[in-house]
Amino acid sequence: MTEIRGEILQALRRAGDRFVSGEELGQRFGISRTAVWKHIQALQGVGYPIEAVRNRGYRLREEGEELRPEAIQAGLATSVLGRHMTVLETVDSTNRYAFAEAEGGAPEGYTVLAERQTAGRGRRGRPWFSPPGHGIWMSVVLRPTFPVFRAPQLTLMAAVSVAEAIRERAGVSVGIKWPNDLLLPDGRKVCGILSEMSAEAEEIRFIVLGIGINVFGREEDFPPELRGVAGSLAQPGSPISRTALIQGLLGRLEADYRIYQNEGFRAFREGWERLNVSLGRTIAVQTQSGQKIGWARRIDDDGALWVETDEGRLEKIISAEVIFDPGS
């Protein structure tokens, strides 16, 4: 979603039940009424319920699409996650904000959501495109009791939780690319998961689990470098409620987190394998020591990926980036 499209959406949200004319929007954003109409059509095309009435203007019919703590919490089936919540209009990074709050004593389950991130981050420090109204940019504070060595597996568990929530609440089947990227059937990425930990010796103080989901947006709404690589959940004629998706996501995540605390990743290995798109194919893995090409055989109970090289040697990969179709 382009920046101006997101601003138009926010203007309609702030207007509530009032119609906003194309002329007013055009003057506010320095564009023509024809340009406003094209942006409105694009927003309608990805599921936003915008009403257009001649001589009156435009109105967002469903206020529920604005992220409001009280609306989200009213439908939550959780006892901890999301019960303390902050929703921000704009933030540099929900993970940074949540980390600072956790340092200050924020309780387990504290959740930060933002309409827009100016410096959202993915794995390996990559920027995450997160314009206003485009998706779900969320971070959750966890204070687990398991040992430090189990922390990396938490993101693999979260990938299963998020994939199931997306299927249940958005009706979209996504696959997991090891370790925790979620892809559409055509291979475009719709979700990334990033965890950051504070620990002392062998004791975890807290973990911030960040989840970014592209809910809305057409290919042309993404920056050129992401077109064909990034995708979104919503399709024309199939509107998605971000509020309902967040509620389902937090509910699934809390239930799975309880199981993970007691049983570890082995309880989710079968679910991860069922949803995965990495195993059984030739891949390249980019590690700190270089690139390795081989056949992705399996993952183990620790969440590590086992790759068979061309020489027939099995190698255990704990942390790396997977590249499909190496050399193509």
Side-chain angles (χ1 to χ4, degrees), residues 100-130:
E101 292 295 299
E103 289 278 13
E108 179 162 70
Y110 175 70
T111 300
V112 179
L113 289 147
E115 286 287 359
R116 173 177 180 255
Q117 293 185 116
T118 58
R121 291 173 293 135
R123 293 180 69 240
R124 300 181 181 272
R126 293 191 181 93
W128 183 270
F129 180 63
S130 41

Side-chain angles (χ1 to χ4, degrees), residues 118-150:
T118 58
R121 291 173 293 135
R123 293 180 69 240
R124 300 181 181 272
R126 293 191 181 93
W128 183 270
F129 180 63
S130 41
H134 184 92
I136 294 171
W137 325 127
M138 178 174 76
S139 296
V140 180
V141 174
L142 302 174
R143 296 187 180 275
T145 57
F146 52 74
V148 170
F149 74 86
R150 280 179 50 190

Side-chain angles (χ1 to χ4, degrees), residues 5-328:
R5 201 164 292 165
E7 295 297 337
I8 289 174
L9 182 62
Q10 293 299 86
L12 294 178
R13 283 179 175 148
R14 288 191 289 268
D17 291 333
R18 181 177 68 86
F19 281 91
V20 183
S21 71
E23 182 178 3
E24 180 181 339
L25 290 170
Q27 289 176 350
R28 185 180 304 181
F29 301 112
I31 58 177
S32 68
R33 284 186 294 177
T34 300
V36 169
W37 170 234
K38 289 181 179 178
H39 287 304
I40 294 292
Q41 285 182 308
L43 290 167
Q44 291 171 326
V46 294
Y48 283 105
I50 299 175
E51 184 179 2
V53 176
R54 185 183 294 274
N55 297 324
R56 299 188 70 185
Y58 309 105
R59 179 173 65 179
L60 187 64
R61 290 200 306 271
E62 296 180 9
E63 188 63 25
E65 275 307 305
E66 180 183 4
L67 298 183
R68 293 179 289 126
E70 61 273 18
I72 296 169
Q73 292 172 329
L76 270 182
T78 65
S79 58
V80 178
L81 268 60
R83 289 303 168 186
H84 293 84
M85 180 179 291
T86 298
V87 176
L88 304 168
E89 188 75 19
T90 301
V91 70
D92 56 352
S93 161
T94 59
N95 256 37
R96 287 178 187 156
Y97 189 99
F99 202 96
E101 292 295 299
E103 289 278 13
E108 179 162 70
Y110 175 70
T111 300
V112 179
L113 289 147
E115 286 287 359
R116 173 177 180 255
Q117 293 185 116
T118 58
R121 291 173 293 135
R123 293 180 69 240
R124 300 181 181 272
R126 293 191 181 93
W128 183 270
F129 180 63
S130 41
H134 184 92
I136 294 171
W137 325 127
M138 178 174 76
S139 296
V140 180
V141 174
L142 302 174
R143 296 187 180 275
T145 57
F146 52 74
V148 170
F149 74 86
R150 280 179 50 190
Q153 305 160 28
L154 182 67
T155 55
L156 280 82
M157 179 223 80
V160 177
S161 304
V162 177
E164 293 290 3
I166 288 174
R167 179 184 58 82
E168 293 168 0
R169 293 300 178 105
V172 179
S173 295
V174 294
I176 304 174
K177 175 186 172 185
W178 189 87
N180 48 33
D181 287 342
L182 301 188
L183 309 182
L184 292 170
D186 62 9
R188 289 179 298 158
K189 182 175 175 178
V190 292
C191 174
I193 300 170
L194 174 68
S195 65
E196 297 178 294
M197 177 176 65
S198 174
E200 295 177 352
E202 293 302 309
E203 182 179 348
I204 297 173
R205 295 179 60 229
F206 61 83
I207 294 174
V208 173
L209 186 67
I211 300 169
I213 305 175
N214 298 329
V215 179
F216 301 104
R218 301 181 300 180
E219 184 171 352
E220 59 266 32
D221 294 326
F222 290 96
E225 65 272 17
L226 295 180
R227 292 172 190 170
V229 176
S232 59
L233 297 178
Q235 301 299 319
S238 301
I240 294 175
S241 166
R242 290 188 300 163
T243 295
L245 181 52
I246 292 166
Q247 291 166 341
L249 196 160
L250 289 173
R252 168 69 72 156
L253 191 62
E254 180 172 288
D256 289 347
Y257 175 60
R258 287 173 178 164
I259 297 171
Y260 182 80
Q261 288 259 53
N262 296 321
E263 303 179 33
F265 180 67
R266 66 171 62 90
F268 298 91
R269 177 178 167 184
E270 182 178 337
W272 191 98
E273 289 176 336
R274 174 174 49 82
L275 293 165
N276 98 92
V277 296
S278 299
L279 302 183
R281 62 190 296 177
T282 300
I283 62 171
V285 287
Q286 187 68 45
T287 68
Q288 290 183 344
S289 60
Q291 188 179 95
K292 302 178 187 293
I293 297 176
W295 187 261
R297 285 294 185 188
R298 63 185 177 89
I299 61 167
D300 59 25
D301 286 346
D302 294 328
L305 177 68
W306 288 83
V307 176
E308 182 179 350
T309 66
D310 291 339
E311 296 80 23
R313 185 176 63 253
L314 277 175
E315 295 198 16
K316 182 178 182 179
I317 308 298
I318 297 174
S319 178
E321 180 175 1
V322 168
I323 304 169
F324 291 152
D325 302 319
S328 63

